[in-house]
Amino acid sequence: MVQHRSRLTVADNSGAKILQVIQPIGGSWKRKATLGQVVVGVVKGADPNGQVKNHEIVKIVIVRCKKEVRREDGSYVKFDDNAGVVIDNDGNLRSTRIFGPIAREVRDAGYQKIVSLSYTVDPRAPHACVREDEMPVADVTEPKWKTDYKNLIE
């Protein structure tokens, strides 16, 4: 989760070096944002040849959070840093590359372009499934103490 004045690392090549959150999108009472949500932020330090300029106000999609996020299957996912991707007002990317892992929640939020450009998507998907022939076979033999106990009773 990120909130007002949180610093984000940049997960794209838009030219920004650090992003600072101003306000999560969703009204004046919205205080925190998590994976796949949009926040308004400001660029703190930028490359002079980049797409964004220093002190420019931009919209950012959160793609990584330090705070764990609970998924529908009961698992949790968290990352080593807070990171975001700069988008325009229409929701399109302002960059051409994405760096680092991206959470599945970004895909569920509808940002397919971010997921397609990223080279790593978090493999712990809430709807990941394994084929039956790939599942490990469970050992169904009785434990040794049960067989020893049965022999003692007889």
Side-chain angles (χ1 to χ4, degrees):
M1 287 186 193
V2 297
Q3 60 185 357
H4 178 67
R5 294 186 65 112
S6 293
R7 300 260 176 155
L8 307 174
T9 58
V10 184
D12 61 13
N13 65 344
S14 61
K17 295 189 174 150
I18 301 254
L19 301 168
Q20 183 176 357
V21 175
I22 295 175
Q23 176 72 31
I25 300 284
S28 61
W29 289 100
K30 177 102 171 159
R31 297 292 180 218
K32 298 175 199 138
T34 187
L35 295 172
Q37 294 181 348
V38 180
V39 296
V40 176
V42 64
V43 176
K44 295 287 188 178
D47 186 29
N49 298 326
Q51 293 286 327
V52 296
K53 301 301 175 203
N54 201 11
H55 307 294
E56 182 180 348
I57 295 176
V58 294
K59 287 188 178 179
I60 306 160
V61 176
I62 308 297
V63 295
R64 291 193 294 271
C65 279
K66 279 187 180 181
K67 177 69 177 164
E68 63 274 356
V69 175
R70 187 173 192 273
R71 290 185 166 164
E72 290 178 3
D73 64 348
S75 64
Y76 289 85
V77 61
K78 68 179 185 175
F79 296 94
D80 291 337
D81 63 343
N82 295 322
V85 173
V86 179
I87 59 172
D88 61 7
N89 289 332
D90 297 329
N92 301 321
L93 288 173
R94 291 184 62 180
S95 59
T96 56
R97 293 179 62 198
I98 304 292
F99 305 117
I102 302 297
R104 289 279 180 185
E105 286 77 6
V106 176
R107 183 195 66 190
D108 297 339
Y111 295 100
Q112 297 294 336
K113 184 71 173 177
I114 295 174
V115 174
S116 66
L117 287 177
S118 67
Y119 68 92
T120 311
V121 178
D122 181 34
R124 297 175 297 268
H127 20 269
C129 57
V130 179
R131 293 188 352 219
E132 280 187 36
D133 58 340
E134 294 177 357
M135 292 186 68
V137 178
D139 186 17
V140 291
T141 59
E142 288 186 344
K144 187 174 182 332
W145 67 269
K146 278 190 175 181
T147 56
D148 291 343
Y149 183 73
K150 284 180 184 176
N151 292 337
L152 288 175
I153 294 176
E154 296 174 355

